[in-house]
Every structure is written in structure tokens, then in C-alpha cells.
Amino acid sequence: MDTLGAPGAGIAIALENLFPPLPSEVILPLAGFAASTGQMNLYAALLWTTAGSVIGALALYGVGALLGRDRTVAIAERLPLVKVSDIEKTEAWFNRHGTKAVFFGRMIPIFRSLISVPAGVERMPLPVFLGLTTLGSAIWNTVFVLAGYLLGERWADVTTYVTAYSKVVLVVAVLALLAFVGLRLFRRGRGTRRRGQRPEQGAESGAADDDRHASRR
């Protein structure tokens, strides 16, 4: 940002979309602070960071489109504990709620980047994807750029609250993943026990038939 100004902030945000570990909650308030010192224009910072968000999201949309449904299913078949039916359910869910997922996903750490991939896999109409991405990203970016602008030298205070928010999102995601794995293993274990019990049940049934025949005699 020192070298390129507002376009540098846009490039940083585009890279943040491609590499989620780069924290937008640091880049955006810092861009706002730079605008407050006159290093860049505030409106230019908002426009360039939003453009960077859209460019990064569009790149990941392209990855999803190139991957396609068939390759996604083929990959899923090789993953442990994942079934093709899981992909089909996700596909059905995205067809029903994809527009809301893309819009609100822009305001959720981690998912802000990942949501572009299923949008590409499902070939969400590009104008719809770009419109939702632009609107959602503009809201997220504006909040943090303005926070940095208004806080000035205290711009880093923003990261304290957003880091806590990001940690909550990450914990929820991890718990959801653990619940999915636990349920899948539990169901698989129950199915194994049932299959193992059938021969015993058959033997018990045969023994009961012999007893009935013996009593008749």
C-alpha cells in the first residue's frame, strides 16, 4: 500500500481471497488508516478493495467451474467417510440457498473464500454471482475500511474484535466437522454390529425350531 496506494490494497485483498490465512481484518482497517493520513483517497480504497474481492472470488469460481460436478464426485468417492449422497445433498442445498450463501458468505471468515468454489461447480449464473459478490464484499470492506479511517492510529483495535469473531466461526466449523465424522463412524459401526449379529440370530432361530420339533415328538 505504501508503494501502490489504493491499487495495492486491492491486490492484497485479491490475494486474501485466494489465500484465506492472509487477514482482511488487518488489511482493510490499515487501508482506512492510510486514507485518514492522506496516503490514499478513501473512495479509491473502497473501490479498489471491493474490486480485489471480486477478482479473487472470480478466480476461485473459475477453479470450481473447471473442476466441475463429475470431478468433484470422483474426488468425493476417494475421500474417507464421504458419500456421493453427501455431494448430492450439498448440491440440492446450494440450488435452493446458493444466492444467500454467496451474499452472506462474503461476511464470514474462511467461507468468504471457499463459497466461490461450489458456486463455480454448480455454474451459478455469472452475472448473479458477480452481483452478489460485489454487494456482499462492498458491505464487509466498507465497514472495516471506515473503522480504520475513523479510529486513525488506533486502527489495530478493530482486529481484536474481528479475531474473536473469526475464532468463533472456526470453532463452530470444527465442531460441525467433528459431529459429521462422529455420526458417520457411529452409523458405520452400528451397521457392522448388525451384520455380525445376523448369523447368531439365525442360529438362535434354528435352535428354537429344534426345540419346538422335539416337544411335538
Side-chain angles (χ1 to χ4, degrees):
M1 284 189 280
D2 283 340
T3 304
L4 301 177
I11 292 171
I13 290 298
L15 292 174
E16 182 265 342
N17 273 264
L18 297 172
F19 305 101
L22 291 175
S24 66
E25 60 268 23
V26 173
I27 299 168
L28 294 170
L30 183 57
F33 169 64
S36 72
T37 62
Q39 188 174 341
M40 68 177 73
N41 181 273
L42 177 61
Y43 297 107
L46 293 172
L47 289 173
W48 276 101
T49 54
T50 300
S53 296
V54 173
I55 291 171
L58 191 58
L60 291 175
Y61 177 95
V63 170
L66 288 174
L67 188 63
R69 186 182 185 279
D70 292 341
R71 290 179 182 173
T72 302
V73 171
I75 293 172
E77 289 176 336
R78 297 188 181 95
L79 296 176
L81 304 178
V82 177
K83 300 178 181 178
V84 174
S85 60
D86 295 328
I87 301 298
E88 294 172 345
K89 290 175 183 176
T90 303
E91 182 181 25
W93 181 90
F94 194 87
N95 288 333
R96 290 195 303 270
H97 307 289
T99 53
K100 289 181 284 187
V102 170
F103 175 73
F104 290 107
R106 299 299 163 199
M107 306 173 204
I108 303 175
I110 302 174
F111 297 99
R112 183 167 54 249
S113 299
L114 298 179
I115 194 62
S116 300
V117 177
V121 171
E122 295 301 323
R123 298 297 179 94
M124 174 181 278
L126 196 55
V128 175
F129 175 79
L130 289 176
L132 293 169
T133 298
T134 301
L135 183 57
S137 298
I139 293 172
W140 175 266
N141 294 352
T142 298
V143 168
F144 287 97
V145 171
L146 287 180
Y149 183 85
L150 295 173
L151 287 172
E153 292 184 357
R154 293 175 51 238
W155 65 269
D157 292 352
V158 180
T159 63
T160 303
Y161 299 101
V162 183
T163 299
Y165 171 54
S166 300
K167 287 180 179 178
V168 169
V169 172
L170 183 60
V171 168
V172 171
V174 170
L175 290 176
L177 178 61
L178 291 175
F180 169 79
V181 172
L183 287 172
R184 187 54 52 84
L185 289 172
F186 176 71
R187 289 176 181 172
R188 179 173 292 185
R190 288 180 60 188
T192 302
R193 287 196 297 273
R194 286 175 181 171
R195 285 192 296 271
Q197 288 172 354
R198 283 175 186 170
E200 297 175 4
Q201 290 172 351
E204 292 174 359
S205 176
D209 289 341
D210 291 341
D211 291 340
R212 282 196 295 270
H213 287 307
S215 63
R216 288 175 185 173
R217 291 173 187 171

